[in-house]
Amino acid sequence: MADKASDSAFMQQALALAAEAAQAGEVPVGAVLVHNGEVIGRGRNRPIESADPTAHAEIGALREAAQNLGNYRLEDCTLYVTLEPCAMCCGAILNARVRRVVYAATEGKTGCAGSVLNLFDHSKLNHHSCVEGGLLSADSTALLQAFFQSRREQQRQRVEPLREDALRPATEWFQGLPDFPWKSHFLSDLPTLEGLRMHYLAEGPQASADTRVLLHGIPGWSYLHRGAIARAVEEGARVIVPDLIGFGKSDQPKREDAHTAAFHVNCLLQLMDRLHVQGARLQVLPSIRWLGQALLNAASPAFSTLEVLTEEDQNAVDSLALNAPYPNRGHRAGERAFLSFGGVP
């Protein structure tokens, strides 16, 4: 009977190799091959760096193990891999006569250990490896999701080029922040933005009779409203929380004079129009009450009332979360501009 503690320990080694693959820009998959309780082969995905379509993690582990044993037969061995093997890797595993395969996350598109098909259980093949899936699946899935999210962000940035007079917060700055499951939305085609990219959160049913628009304070960004977002969704409301240009995940102009009341009012009104917001409760912190009043004075159908919250209505955060979008002084031009307004820009 397999030792579950040992299985987990070996899979952790495979996960470490998967993380190395991600750092190298490869899909994060790692594998280790074990014989008599000892790791004799290690591999991680490297098809891009090696220009080799066969350079999957499993193949690397099999090759190293065969060299170490001096035998292409790897009987009485267990392969631990962080993602369900594809058809190519299954074939190599079967040809090596690997006794047991343990994988973490399933692969619904190419997995051939039970997802798309199960080559290990094919009746006409002359060898059948024992297969077990799901060990530390959540850890592997998290690695994969983070990798592909970062790749999508890079692709989006290529589609939405950064203006030379602005800075763009990096995705990795925001990874690991607790209690913040909300999906990010970005747009850059509003007329006033002139190519700057604006970030916002939009949760709850669009048809809700109760729409709330929350503006973060200074200093701050949308993360500080995470508790209010959760409460609004629980109450059946639609809630929209933008990051003002210069703050949070939105693009950050390098110059303080890029920030004027008219600029921010127009950006927000155009965002409300794009999202078809009407009759919303506009909720602001005291530090930007002037902006809330300017939006209400614009007589836009987007807003029905202005509610000034207390600073206590924001969720307290540690300095790491508060400063995540602002790694250095260059990223704080917006904050400096708003603080210099003195309430009347």
Side-chain angles (χ1 to χ4, degrees):
M1 180 175 292
D3 183 340
K4 296 301 180 185
S6 296
D7 282 349
S8 294
F10 289 128
M11 187 63 79
Q12 288 286 2
Q13 293 188 45
L15 286 165
L17 290 165
E20 289 181 17
Q23 288 294 321
E26 304 275 4
V27 175
V29 182
V32 298
L33 196 133
V34 176
H35 181 254
N36 291 335
E38 179 183 353
V39 175
I40 59 170
R42 297 172 176 82
R44 65 163 177 83
N45 263 8
R46 55 177 79 242
I48 297 173
E49 65 184 73
S50 62
D52 179 0
T54 72
H56 287 196
E58 300 95 317
I59 302 298
L62 291 171
R63 286 174 173 164
E64 183 176 284
Q67 290 296 313
N68 285 333
L69 285 184
N71 191 341
Y72 75 98
R73 297 292 198 205
L74 300 174
E75 299 171 337
D76 297 323
C77 291
T78 298
L79 178 71
Y80 298 87
V81 60
T82 60
L83 187 65
E84 181 181 357
C86 67
M88 176 186 72
C89 292
C90 288
I93 292 166
L94 289 168
N95 283 331
R97 302 294 194 269
V98 173
R99 179 179 62 83
R100 181 170 172 251
V101 177
V102 181
Y103 68 86
T106 58
E107 171 49 270
K109 295 181 179 179
T110 62
C112 289
S115 290
V116 177
L117 54 89
N118 191 348
L119 286 175
F120 295 113
D121 196 37
H122 198 290
S123 60
K124 293 188 176 181
L125 294 176
N126 64 344
H127 176 76
H128 300 92
S129 301
C130 175
V131 179
E132 302 170 31
L135 179 64
L136 301 185
S137 175
D139 300 74
S140 177
T141 299
L143 271 175
L144 290 160
Q145 288 177 340
F147 174 81
F148 286 112
Q149 180 181 352
S150 177
R151 177 176 283 184
R152 286 191 295 270
E153 178 66 17
Q154 292 169 5
Q155 291 172 343
R156 184 161 49 233
Q157 290 183 13
R158 285 194 290 270
V159 174
E160 301 172 355
L162 177 64
R163 279 175 27 176
E164 291 184 2
D165 62 344
L167 301 168
R168 178 162 295 168
T171 303
E172 55 266 25
W173 298 351
F174 305 95
Q175 292 177 356
L177 293 179
D179 303 321
F180 201 61
W182 320 114
K183 179 182 178 181
S184 288
H185 302 273
F186 297 91
L187 49 71
S188 58
D189 59 346
L190 300 179
T192 300
L193 291 176
E194 296 184 341
L196 291 171
R197 193 176 72 167
M198 191 174 195
H199 169 258
Y200 67 94
L201 305 172
E203 297 293 330
Q206 185 170 341
S208 175
D210 179 8
T211 299
R212 309 172 196 180
V213 177
L214 279 67
L215 300 185
H216 59 78
I218 309 300
W221 59 290
S222 55
Y223 180 67
L224 278 72
H225 277 309
R226 65 194 186 284
I229 299 171
R231 288 192 297 273
V233 171
E234 185 176 348
E235 294 166 4
R238 180 190 187 195
V239 59
I240 296 167
V241 188
D243 277 328
L244 301 176
I245 290 295
F247 299 87
K249 296 184 178 183
S250 291
D251 280 357
Q252 301 167 351
K254 298 176 184 178
R255 295 174 58 90
E256 295 175 28
D257 59 12
H259 299 274
T260 65
F263 171 78
H264 287 285
V265 167
N266 288 333
C267 286
L268 290 169
L269 290 177
Q270 289 167 16
L271 175 64
M272 296 303 107
D273 183 64
R274 175 66 60 84
L275 299 180
H276 307 291
V277 173
Q278 291 193 347
R281 298 161 55 188
L282 177 59
Q283 300 178 328
V284 304
L285 275 294
S287 56
I288 56 165
R289 180 173 184 162
W290 62 265
L291 180 55
Q293 191 62 57
L295 288 165
L296 204 65
N297 291 345
S300 166
F303 304 113
S304 61
T305 59
L306 173 62
E307 302 171 13
V308 180
L309 308 175
T310 66
E311 297 293 345
E312 288 72 25
D313 288 316
Q314 290 192 122
N315 284 96
V317 297
D318 59 27
S319 60
L320 182 64
L322 180 64
N323 297 318
Y326 318 112
N328 57 54
R329 178 179 171 79
H331 291 266
R332 294 185 180 272
E335 184 177 299
R336 292 193 297 274
F338 270 67
L339 292 174
S340 71
F341 290 162
V344 184

